[in-house]
Amino acid sequence: MNSIVTYIRRCSYECGFVFIIAILLQINLPAQSPYRLSWSKDLAFTGAGMATLGTAEYLRKRITLFTPDELERLDRIYVNNLDRRATHLLFEPADRVSDVFMSTAQLMPVIFLAGKKTRRHFGQIAVMYGETMLINGSLTMVTKYAVHRPRPYVFNGEASLSSIQSVNAQASFVSGHVSSTAASTFFMAKVYCDFYPDSAWKPVVWTAAAFVPAVTGYLRVRAGKHYPTDVIGGYALGAAVGFLVPHLHRNRGHRNISLSAAPNGFYFSMDF
């Protein structure tokens, strides 16, 4: 897992970049978007996400590695019946494939550039997606380090000592791969259905949105990285964030950010 500091720096760059895109891509656009951006709301979302990341970093630094005595006392018999089977699993190819699923899902919103409606308002979508990933990532990390649950492979004798003796080995709940994938796919499904409410493809879009993180979750369990309950928690968190961020941006009064040409230059306006 990347360090929190690196994640915070990357999120800061991304948030600034998407706000610039939001302004540049909405020149002289009619107010036909189902969404509305506002400085107060979007800065609040971004600030809350960054503050939560800071909390996660604080909690991470408080985690201590397993001592030899603690490792000696670890026993899968203390793992609940639903999750215990995961302690016997360790399959590296499943880990690599789950990385592909997550990375692909994170890039999928680029597809909105292909649609006429969504392309015209891609700036808005980019801002909301940046907030979605920031909020989901920060909530995932703060949960991981607050719970610091040992991963299934910690109980598996085939796992290397170096992987067990790491902070990441105590960050099982919730699954970050699943929460990230679910946040991406549910965000896409929500935005698609809001822009195209009469589309016959809506059932297919929602089915795909639900299916991809489910497969990712299976792969994470098969790889020995997570328990089923980690996957369930990550799925619920990511799906909720992916759905709620665009929902809370719903346009009630057809107001928007705009940048228009004027006789002596440009006119910028943003409704609050």
Side-chain angles (χ1 to χ4, degrees):
M1 181 181 295
N2 295 331
S3 70
I4 300 293
V5 174
T6 301
Y7 191 85
I8 291 174
R9 185 181 298 114
R10 186 178 67 192
C11 288
S12 300
Y13 294 154
E14 290 176 351
C15 289
F17 180 68
V18 294
F19 270 106
I20 293 173
I21 290 180
I23 294 173
L24 295 179
L25 293 185
Q26 297 196 65
I27 300 176
N28 290 322
L29 290 184
Q32 296 176 342
S33 171
Y35 302 113
R36 173 178 175 255
L37 302 180
S38 70
W39 287 115
S40 57
K41 180 183 297 182
D42 294 298
L43 288 177
F45 283 172
T46 303
M50 298 299 286
T52 306
L53 279 177
T55 303
E57 171 66 2
Y58 169 77
L59 294 173
R60 186 187 71 84
K61 289 182 176 180
R62 293 176 61 86
I63 295 177
T64 58
L65 302 182
F66 289 117
T67 65
D69 287 341
E70 288 174 331
L71 288 176
E72 186 70 25
R73 290 196 300 268
L74 286 174
D75 194 328
R76 59 171 54 95
I77 196 172
Y78 297 112
V79 179
N80 68 77
N81 292 333
L82 175 62
D83 291 333
R84 191 175 302 152
R85 185 173 182 275
T87 64
H88 296 277
L89 302 175
L90 196 65
F91 189 52
E92 186 65 26
D95 184 24
R96 293 194 294 269
V97 176
S98 70
D99 289 342
V100 174
F101 267 76
M102 181 181 69
S103 299
T104 302
Q106 290 176 339
L107 294 174
M108 285 176 65
V110 176
I111 295 175
F112 285 126
L113 287 170
K116 183 177 180 180
K117 284 184 180 180
T118 51
R119 182 170 61 249
R120 287 165 64 87
H121 297 283
F122 190 74
Q124 283 183 330
I125 296 173
V127 170
M128 293 189 299
Y129 186 61
E131 292 172 354
T132 297
M133 300 312 291
L134 172 62
I135 293 171
N136 179 75
S138 63
L139 290 176
T140 297
M141 290 183 177
V142 80
T143 303
K144 281 178 175 291
Y145 298 133
V147 177
H148 57 88
R149 183 187 194 187
R151 292 182 184 267
Y153 63 73
V154 170
F155 302 92
N156 194 317
E158 297 181 12
S160 66
L161 182 60
S162 61
S163 64
I164 295 174
Q165 285 285 52
S166 67
V167 172
N168 192 40
Q170 300 181 56
S172 192
F173 187 84
V174 294
S175 170
H177 278 66
V178 176
S179 71
S180 176
T181 304
S184 298
T185 59
F186 275 74
F187 175 89
M188 283 196 61
K190 171 64 173 170
V191 171
Y192 176 85
C193 293
D194 284 344
F195 269 101
Y196 304 99
D198 300 321
S199 172
W201 287 93
K202 288 168 62 176
V204 176
V205 170
W206 278 113
T207 299
F211 179 74
V212 173
V215 174
T216 305
Y218 167 78
L219 292 169
R220 298 304 288 168
V221 173
R222 182 68 181 86
K225 300 294 185 179
H226 286 287
Y227 305 97
T229 50
D230 298 338
V231 168
I232 294 170
Y235 195 114
L237 173 61
V241 174
F243 181 89
L244 287 175
V245 170
H247 180 73
L248 293 174
H249 282 84
R250 287 285 298 179
N251 187 358
R252 307 303 183 200
H254 301 289
R255 294 175 295 179
N256 216 326
I257 297 174
S258 64
L259 180 66
S260 306
N264 298 319
F266 293 92
Y267 174 74
F268 171 78
S269 67
M270 185 175 193
D271 294 327
F272 290 86

